[in-house]
Amino acid sequence: MSDSHFAEVSQEALLKIFTIPEAPDSTLGKIEKHLSENLMGFLGEHIVAREKPLHEIEQNFNASEIPEQPQYVSDHTEFLLNNLVAHSVHTSSPRFIGHMTSALPYFLLPLAKLMVGLNQNLVKIETSKAFTPLERNVLGMLHHLVYQQDAAFYQRWMHSAQHSLGAMCSGGTVANMTALWVARNLLLKPTTGFAGIASEGLAAGLLHYGYKRLTIMVSERGHYSLGKAADVLGIGRKNLIAVATDENNRIKIDALREACAAVQADGGQVLAIIGVAGTTETGHIDPLDKMADVASEVGAHFHVDAAWGGATLLSNNHRQLLHGIERADSVTIDAHKQMYVPMGAGMVLFRDPSMVRAIEHHAEYIIRHGSKDLGAHTMEGSRPGMAMLVYSALHVMGRRGYELLIDQSLAKAKDFARLIAAQDDFEVVTEPELCILTYRFVPARIKPLLAGLNAEQVRRITPHLNALTRFIQKRQRETGSSFVSRTKLTPAQYHREPTVVFRVVLANPLTTHEMLAEILQEQREIAEQAMSLRGALFTELRELGLVRER
Amino acid sequence: MSDSHFAEVSQEALLKIFTIPEAPDSTLGKIEKHLSENLMGFLGEHIVAREKPLHEIEQNFNASEIPEQPQYVSDHTEFLLNNLVAHSVHTSSPRFIGHMTSALPYFLLPLAKLMVGLNQNLVKIETSKAFTPLERNVLGMLHHLVYQQDAAFYQRWMHSAQHSLGAMCSGGTVANMTALWVARNLLLKPTTGFAGIASEGLAAGLLHYGYKRLTIMVSERGHYSLGKAADVLGIGRKNLIAVATDENNRIKIDALREACAAVQADGGQVLAIIGVAGTTETGHIDPLDKMADVASEVGAHFHVDAAWGGATLLSNNHRQLLHGIERADSVTIDAHKQMYVPMGAGMVLFRDPSMVRAIEHHAEYIIRHGSKDLGAHTMEGSRPGMAMLVYSALHVMGRRGYELLIDQSLAKAKDFARLIAAQDDFEVVTEPELCILTYRFVPARIKPLLAGLNAEQVRRITPHLNALTRFIQKRQRETGSSFVSRTKLTPAQYHREPTVVFRVVLANPLTTHEMLAEILQEQREIAEQAMSLRGALFTELRELGLVRER
């Protein structure tokens, strides 16, 4: 069968595309083989290194009408190769250390295809059958990873129709949103004279319970999805209160306690306190145990956003970094981050399996009362069987396999921090606690001066260093052989001056020490070319009397 | 390379799973080949027909701890085949006509694997590059399908950083939720003395604008996700007002107008009016054009939930069924339903590309101001590149290919309705407008009586017929060779008595007339076995004096 299945639009041609696969020697057949045999080779060969400007790429995606006539699969595949794949991002390259999206273990690719081919819909058992208990099993295992209840607990709750140990979500955002939805509905629950917020709405709930407002407390390093959740849930972004952090980007417990007291004194109620484990920008972990104390004091739901850092629990050597997470009412973990599962596998876990009753819903034709349909307790409706990939990854790698990966990532981050610190012209801005760290380039003549600068000097110099960092990051990305990301922090050591930094995430097991050294060298070389930016910096330094001559 | 990559937990073994694929002769390699060459064969061979009780399947998914040790890929794959795949649902079988999940065209499978292998994250350009313009292109094409603006319109807005023609979502639920989120934030927008609901929250917004409550109006056949959305957004489920439908399950315009007037008279504000195109249970389409009039009269956002029926627009022969959809402020369409794309491809489209400003959000390290990052206007954060599969399906099948599929599905539904009506012992309960219809079994002696029954007689007989329908549906599902779903309707012809019906969705192009006849025959044979249910029915009929003897 050639892939010219669709030479004309006919009934017969249509049936063919549902029954006859692409031939092995067709373009798509060859791609599939190449992917199966050598994914890294395929990506390395087909993703072009040098960046094409976005507006040029857009030219290929400008047609506003759906094409009338069918296209040969082979022609279409050629188009995708040249215009999409070629200009996609090599997320699995060991030199692309700027993302939380890393390489995937090979065995997950054929399994992903199997999952897609089965095309189950996890909203109900009728369209998922064994996938439903499998998903409940995955949630149970992750629940155990966090909460470590005994076997009897899981025996009782894991497959209970009226309960859920958590929910699979498309990602961490929906997971965080689901947790706060549950928290909100539990706080404004049904009681005499009030049918509950789910039925009567938020305004009625506040009125009934006599709360002037609800607030959500999180450190100023909290993920931006929490602002979205506050908006969506009707709480309001200004009621998401950003609490100050210490010099290690961890929430200040005193500041948290004070902020909660201020809310309560003003007639508000703290809906939730959110611990971050680890922050997206720096990978630091809040003092979860102490936060749990505060949550308990003020009667707030304690949620931990461990979308990125949660996988650390898989290492017995490092799980104590998240000490206190077991006191959380709910926890977000993304399997598509440090659990090496493809995009689209978020999870929220609930300490108490009956919490989800606060968001339970039913219909006549689906998720009927008493059914075990997963859809009764999820924000989303129809969903794919991503849980299978989490299940397989947990089994094929095992806890000890993950432990090795986690331990190795953390060691690599510490190693890279040492390497950076040892350079004349780079400095670490935030030390790694997990496998994320931030740093920046500073010309060798300036580095020794940095520790002694006063606030005014920092205020004047930082914008120049920021411009330099921005320039290097963009140029390196455009050059295409490696990628670090950037963000803006307010480091304590630099008088909280907004400081642009390189950010790296060292989760790819294929990244080597040598590659990291090369990435620094490339950045150094790019910095050399930034004549005017360096010139402006040194002019400023001269005006401040910090250096004499260029 | 055998698939014993992981005989022991070692650094080296770990690296292997990220670099060396499964061998072609490994278990997983063979599965992949089988999937590629003959998906239907693979599924037919590996999914066991007869249903295993759920509690038995659960036995295989009962471990509450993540396994310590890694497992061989081949062993794990064997486990999945025997315990997961074997007891999954054959969604692509042409005899499984109870779901909106249908067969997939073959070419999407290798493309899905490519998509997974690329592992792009669509939240930002940094992790998706060409996938971002591609996704915007898909949204543009679907926008054009609905709104048919001219080329200049798309030239101007499709790739504009501050605008979006829509949003890709994990599914229709998130799409509906996003539409209502936008509507809510536009209604309670920032104005002098009020920073807007996004910032200040729902209660402050109602207070500022002087609305006692917000309501969402939808027919009583509206999808259950709308109740979830009303809950999540803080509106409250009781403020989702179910408007009466006519004998064809279409919203009554008079009733809608009256319901809106009642809300306004009581100090409330109609946030949104939602048209359904087609209903999940019966496939009927609301009178969209007239609903647009009402929405305009009361100043409400007009949303159309065309998650299922939206694909009908691809057929020039039937798109007029959705006449008025072009007046909607927003429209939901699921590509994983009648567009034959794998699970996880929902979309919401916005008539006005600047509407999404109402939900715009930014962060320091991502979706920065002025960037074209898609994440600025989506409810979800990290997301996979599902848009690619929609793009490919649109190109390889073309509008005319889809037209054929849609036309054929509608013809098949009408054909099946005729076939049912011609039987002595089956009756159509709702006629198909799209490719969904409902029907039930009624013993041949009863069928002639049905039209003449009074309300009391219907009230007494219906529970018995309901029990029979339920029995047949469950038994047929358990037998495993075919599947129809069931729901409960309140048909006008049966005095609105809650009536359980079989529900079929005829979107699989491989379903034949003969298969449909066989499905009826199987149901008839199951009904024969339901001795006690039939006995109870006839006892009731005798007591009512409608039949003499058994």
Side-chain angles (χ1 to χ4, degrees):
Chain A
M1 165 76 189
S2 87
D3 59 7
S4 64
H5 65 261
F6 218 135
E8 52 182 72
V9 182
S10 71
Q11 187 85 357
E12 197 192 354
L14 262 182
L15 291 184
K16 276 187 189 165
I17 64 165
F18 285 88
T19 50
I20 303 180
E22 299 311 303
D25 62 343
S26 68
T27 309
L28 194 50
K30 285 181 201 150
I31 287 180
E32 194 174 14
K33 188 149 180 285
H34 197 168
L35 281 178
S36 302
E37 290 171 0
N38 185 358
L39 176 68
M40 294 293 275
F42 176 87
L43 299 175
E45 205 171 288
H46 287 93
I47 300 179
V48 298
R50 190 162 284 272
E51 185 161 290
K52 189 173 179 176
L54 194 60
H55 63 89
E56 285 180 31
I57 298 176
E58 286 168 356
Q59 298 305 312
N60 293 314
F61 297 102
N62 251 343
S64 54
E65 293 189 31
I66 294 166
E68 271 296 288
Q69 297 299 332
Q71 190 179 23
Y72 287 123
V73 172
S74 53
D75 292 347
H76 181 67
T77 305
E78 284 291 344
F79 174 87
L80 290 181
L81 276 186
N82 296 330
N83 299 289
L84 182 70
V85 177
H87 302 293
S88 59
V89 180
H90 198 341
T91 54
S92 60
S93 162
R95 294 167 194 273
F96 276 51
I97 54 173
H99 308 134
M100 289 182 163
T101 310
S102 171
L104 299 176
Y106 256 92
F107 66 90
L108 285 178
L109 259 89
L111 288 178
K113 191 173 137 193
L114 175 60
M115 191 265 286
V116 171
L118 286 168
N119 207 26
Q120 306 292 289
N121 179 352
L122 276 280
V123 73
K124 53 182 171 177
I125 285 176
E126 269 184 9
T127 49
S128 65
K129 238 190 227 172
F131 271 74
T132 289
L134 172 133
E135 182 166 305
R136 285 180 173 271
N137 196 173
V138 167
L139 292 167
M141 285 177 172
L142 269 292
H143 189 283
H144 181 268
L145 180 69
V146 173
Y147 296 108
Q148 311 207 289
Q149 299 296 300
D150 60 19
F153 177 92
Y154 297 99
Q155 190 65 32
R156 179 161 183 194
W157 304 118
M158 198 154 69
H159 295 291
S160 163
Q162 279 79 38
H163 302 82
S164 289
L165 298 175
M168 288 291 304
C169 308
S170 62
T173 296
V174 173
N176 280 338
M177 220 174 258
T178 303
L180 291 170
W181 178 27
V182 166
R184 192 200 65 178
N185 285 15
L186 284 172
L187 180 65
L188 305 179
K189 63 177 180 290
T191 177
T192 314
F194 179 61
I197 179 177
S199 168
E200 301 208 21
L202 179 58
L206 293 178
L207 195 66
H208 180 86
Y209 279 98
Y211 300 135
K212 215 161 123 188
R213 61 171 179 156
L214 302 183
T215 67
I216 300 167
M217 327 299 280
V218 67
S219 96
E220 54 190 339
R221 296 265 88 81
H223 191 254
Y224 76 95
S225 65
L226 300 171
K228 257 198 281 190
D231 176 355
V232 168
L233 294 169
I235 312 280
R237 286 169 179 272
K238 80 164 194 195
N239 296 315
L240 174 71
I241 295 177
V243 180
T245 50
D246 66 17
E247 65 283 3
N248 285 314
N249 296 291
R250 298 186 187 102
I251 198 167
K252 288 182 176 169
I253 292 294
D254 289 350
L256 173 62
R257 219 171 238 122
E258 281 162 26
C260 291
V263 167
Q264 291 176 317
D266 188 41
Q269 170 69 19
V270 180
L271 166 62
I273 292 176
I274 302 181
V276 188
T279 73
T280 308
E281 292 166 285
T282 66
H284 290 113
I285 300 162
D286 275 336
L288 303 178
D289 201 43
K290 288 181 188 156
M291 293 183 83
D293 290 341
V294 181
S296 158
E297 286 160 29
V298 301
H301 181 104
F302 181 38
H303 175 68
V304 173
D305 181 357
W308 163 252
T312 311
L313 296 168
L314 288 158
S315 165
N316 288 345
N317 304 313
H318 292 103
R319 69 168 288 146
Q320 79 282 0
L321 288 171
L322 276 71
H323 176 61
I325 195 171
E326 71 285 354
R327 295 177 64 191
D329 294 299
S330 55
V331 172
T332 290
I333 298 181
D334 272 350
H336 58 228
K337 297 198 167 94
Q338 278 194 100
M339 287 175 69
Y340 302 94
V341 165
M343 197 56 56
M347 283 173 282
V348 57
L349 306 162
F350 295 105
R351 189 168 44 76
D352 174 351
S354 62
M355 276 185 181
V356 291
R357 300 295 286 273
I359 59 165
E360 193 168 294
H361 45 270
H362 298 281
E364 276 301 344
Y365 51 98
I366 190 181
I367 51 181
R368 299 181 185 97
H369 286 275
S371 82
K372 293 189 175 182
D373 293 347
L374 290 162
H377 299 141
T378 56
M379 180 175 280
E380 293 161 275
S382 298
R383 292 182 297 111
M386 289 299 290
M388 172 187 144
L389 303 185
V390 186
Y391 185 84
S392 295
L394 288 173
H395 280 80
V396 173
M397 300 205 264
R399 193 200 60 77
R400 291 197 51 221
Y402 273 113
E403 182 171 77
L404 237 148
L405 284 166
I406 300 282
D407 291 359
Q408 181 188 275
S409 296
L410 268 63
K412 201 177 292 173
K414 288 189 170 48
D415 172 63
F416 191 35
R418 277 190 298 270
L419 182 69
I420 293 164
Q423 310 297 309
D424 288 342
D425 47 3
F426 283 94
E427 66 157 356
V428 175
V429 178
T430 59
E431 292 287 342
E433 183 171 17
L434 298 179
C435 68
I436 295 177
L437 65 91
T438 68
Y439 68 103
R440 64 175 174 174
F441 173 83
V442 278
R445 288 175 63 196
I446 299 171
K447 192 175 172 185
L449 304 175
L450 287 171
L453 298 179
N454 64 34
E456 173 61 12
Q457 290 166 329
V458 168
R459 195 187 59 75
R460 288 182 57 182
I461 291 173
T462 306
H464 298 284
L465 287 170
N466 287 353
L468 197 53
T469 307
R470 248 187 237 106
F471 176 83
I472 298 168
Q473 191 267 347
K474 282 189 187 173
R475 179 63 58 89
Q476 190 172 36
R477 186 192 70 203
E478 287 160 9
T479 307
S481 63
S482 48
F483 172 74
V484 304
S485 54
R486 69 171 205 272
T487 191
K488 199 190 274 176
L489 300 174
T490 51
Q493 70 268 37
Y494 292 127
H495 306 275
R496 299 282 178 189
E497 191 62 28
T499 300
V500 177
V501 293
F502 303 125
R503 164 179 168 273
V504 294
V505 187
L506 292 162
N508 190 324
L510 307 179
T511 306
T512 63
H513 183 91
E514 291 65 39
M515 291 174 189
L516 295 172
E518 286 162 18
I519 286 168
L520 290 183
Q521 181 55 27
E522 189 184 22
Q523 292 183 326
R524 179 178 287 124
E525 284 162 15
I526 294 170
E528 287 295 325
Q529 299 156 19
M531 300 301 287
S532 67
L533 292 177
R534 293 170 66 104
L537 170 63
F538 277 90
T539 303
E540 192 74 55
L541 287 164
R542 275 194 298 276
E543 283 177 15
L544 286 168
L546 289 166
V547 296
R548 297 244 167 111
E549 78 287 1
R550 181 68 215 256
Chain B
M1 166 73 187
S2 87
D3 59 6
S4 65
H5 64 261
F6 217 133
E8 53 181 74
V9 183
S10 72
Q11 187 85 356
E12 197 191 353
L14 262 180
L15 291 183
K16 276 186 189 166
I17 65 165
F18 284 89
T19 50
I20 303 180
E22 299 311 301
D25 61 344
S26 68
T27 309
L28 194 51
K30 284 181 202 154
I31 287 180
E32 193 172 17
K33 190 150 179 283
H34 197 168
L35 280 179
S36 301
E37 290 172 0
N38 186 359
L39 176 67
M40 294 292 275
F42 176 86
L43 298 177
E45 205 171 290
H46 287 93
I47 300 179
V48 297
R50 190 162 285 272
E51 186 161 289
K52 188 173 179 177
L54 194 60
H55 63 89
E56 285 181 30
I57 298 176
E58 286 169 356
Q59 300 305 313
N60 293 314
F61 297 102
N62 250 343
S64 54
E65 292 190 30
I66 295 166
E68 271 298 287
Q69 297 298 333
Q71 189 178 24
Y72 287 124
V73 171
S74 52
D75 292 347
H76 181 68
T77 305
E78 285 290 345
F79 174 86
L80 290 180
L81 278 186
N82 296 330
N83 299 289
L84 182 70
V85 176
H87 302 292
S88 60
V89 180
H90 197 342
T91 54
S92 60
S93 162
R95 295 167 195 273
F96 276 52
I97 54 173
H99 309 134
M100 289 183 161
T101 309
S102 171
L104 299 176
Y106 255 93
F107 66 88
L108 286 177
L109 259 90
L111 288 177
K113 190 174 138 189
L114 175 60
M115 191 264 287
V116 171
L118 286 167
N119 207 25
Q120 307 290 288
N121 179 353
L122 277 280
V123 73
K124 53 182 171 175
I125 286 177
E126 267 184 8
T127 48
S128 65
K129 238 189 224 172
F131 271 75
T132 288
L134 171 132
E135 181 165 307
R136 285 180 173 271
N137 196 173
V138 167
L139 292 168
M141 286 178 171
L142 269 292
H143 188 283
H144 180 268
L145 180 70
V146 173
Y147 296 107
Q148 310 208 289
Q149 298 297 300
D150 60 17
F153 176 92
Y154 296 99
Q155 191 64 34
R156 180 161 181 194
W157 303 119
M158 198 154 69
H159 295 291
S160 164
Q162 279 79 37
H163 302 80
S164 288
L165 298 175
M168 288 291 303
C169 308
S170 61
T173 297
V174 172
N176 281 338
M177 218 174 260
T178 303
L180 291 170
W181 178 27
V182 165
R184 192 199 66 178
N185 284 15
L186 284 172
L187 180 66
L188 305 180
K189 62 178 182 289
T191 177
T192 314
F194 179 60
I197 179 178
S199 167
E200 301 207 23
L202 178 58
L206 292 179
L207 194 67
H208 180 86
Y209 280 98
Y211 300 136
K212 217 161 119 189
R213 62 171 179 156
L214 303 182
T215 67
I216 301 167
M217 326 299 280
V218 68
S219 95
E220 53 190 341
R221 297 264 87 81
H223 190 255
Y224 76 94
S225 64
L226 301 171
K228 256 197 283 191
D231 176 356
V232 169
L233 294 168
I235 312 281
R237 285 169 181 270
K238 79 165 195 195
N239 295 315
L240 174 72
I241 295 178
V243 181
T245 50
D246 66 16
E247 64 284 4
N248 285 314
N249 296 290
R250 298 186 186 100
I251 198 166
K252 287 182 176 168
I253 292 294
D254 290 350
L256 172 62
R257 218 171 240 122
E258 281 161 28
C260 290
V263 168
Q264 291 175 317
D266 187 41
Q269 169 69 19
V270 180
L271 166 62
I273 291 176
I274 302 181
V276 187
T279 72
T280 308
E281 292 165 286
T282 66
H284 289 112
I285 300 162
D286 275 336
L288 303 179
D289 201 43
K290 288 181 188 153
M291 293 183 83
D293 291 341
V294 181
S296 160
E297 287 160 30
V298 302
H301 181 104
F302 181 38
H303 175 67
V304 174
D305 181 358
W308 163 251
T312 312
L313 296 167
L314 289 158
S315 165
N316 288 346
N317 305 314
H318 292 103
R319 69 168 286 145
Q320 78 282 359
L321 288 172
L322 277 71
H323 176 60
I325 195 172
E326 70 285 355
R327 295 176 64 194
D329 294 299
S330 54
V331 172
T332 291
I333 299 181
D334 272 349
H336 58 229
K337 296 199 168 92
Q338 277 193 101
M339 288 176 69
Y340 302 93
V341 165
M343 197 55 55
M347 282 174 282
V348 58
L349 305 162
F350 295 104
R351 189 170 43 76
D352 173 351
S354 62
M355 275 185 181
V356 291
R357 300 295 285 273
I359 59 165
E360 193 168 295
H361 45 269
H362 298 281
E364 276 301 344
Y365 52 96
I366 190 180
I367 53 180
R368 299 181 184 98
H369 286 276
S371 83
K372 292 188 175 184
D373 294 344
L374 291 162
H377 299 140
T378 56
M379 181 175 279
E380 293 161 274
S382 298
R383 289 183 298 111
M386 288 298 293
M388 171 186 144
L389 302 186
V390 185
Y391 185 86
S392 294
L394 288 172
H395 280 80
V396 172
M397 302 207 262
R399 191 199 61 75
R400 292 197 51 223
Y402 274 112
E403 182 170 77
L404 236 145
L405 284 166
I406 300 282
D407 291 359
Q408 180 189 275
S409 296
L410 268 64
K412 199 176 295 172
K414 287 188 173 45
D415 173 61
F416 192 35
R418 277 190 298 271
L419 182 68
I420 293 165
Q423 309 297 308
D424 289 340
D425 47 2
F426 283 93
E427 67 158 353
V428 175
V429 177
T430 59
E431 292 286 342
E433 182 171 18
L434 298 178
C435 68
I436 295 178
L437 65 90
T438 67
Y439 68 104
R440 65 175 173 172
F441 173 82
V442 278
R445 289 174 64 194
I446 300 173
K447 191 174 174 186
L449 305 174
L450 287 171
L453 297 180
N454 63 35
E456 173 61 11
Q457 290 167 330
V458 168
R459 193 187 61 73
R460 287 182 55 183
I461 292 173
T462 306
H464 298 284
L465 287 169
N466 287 354
L468 197 54
T469 307
R470 246 186 238 111
F471 176 83
I472 298 169
Q473 191 267 347
K474 281 189 187 172
R475 179 62 59 89
Q476 189 172 37
R477 186 191 72 202
E478 286 161 11
T479 307
S481 63
S482 48
F483 172 75
V484 304
S485 54
R486 70 171 203 271
T487 190
K488 197 190 276 176
L489 300 174
T490 52
Q493 69 267 37
Y494 293 128
H495 305 276
R496 299 282 178 188
E497 192 61 30
T499 300
V500 177
V501 294
F502 303 125
R503 164 179 169 273
V504 294
V505 187
L506 292 161
N508 190 324
L510 307 179
T511 305
T512 63
H513 182 89
E514 290 65 39
M515 290 174 189
L516 295 172
E518 286 163 18
I519 285 168
L520 291 184
Q521 182 56 29
E522 189 184 23
Q523 293 182 326
R524 179 178 288 126
E525 285 162 15
I526 294 170
E528 289 296 324
Q529 300 157 19
M531 302 301 287
S532 66
L533 294 177
R534 292 169 69 102
L537 169 62
F538 278 89
T539 303
E540 192 75 53
L541 288 164
R542 274 193 299 276
E543 282 177 15
L544 286 167
L546 291 165
V547 295
R548 296 239 169 117
E549 77 288 1
R550 180 68 217 259

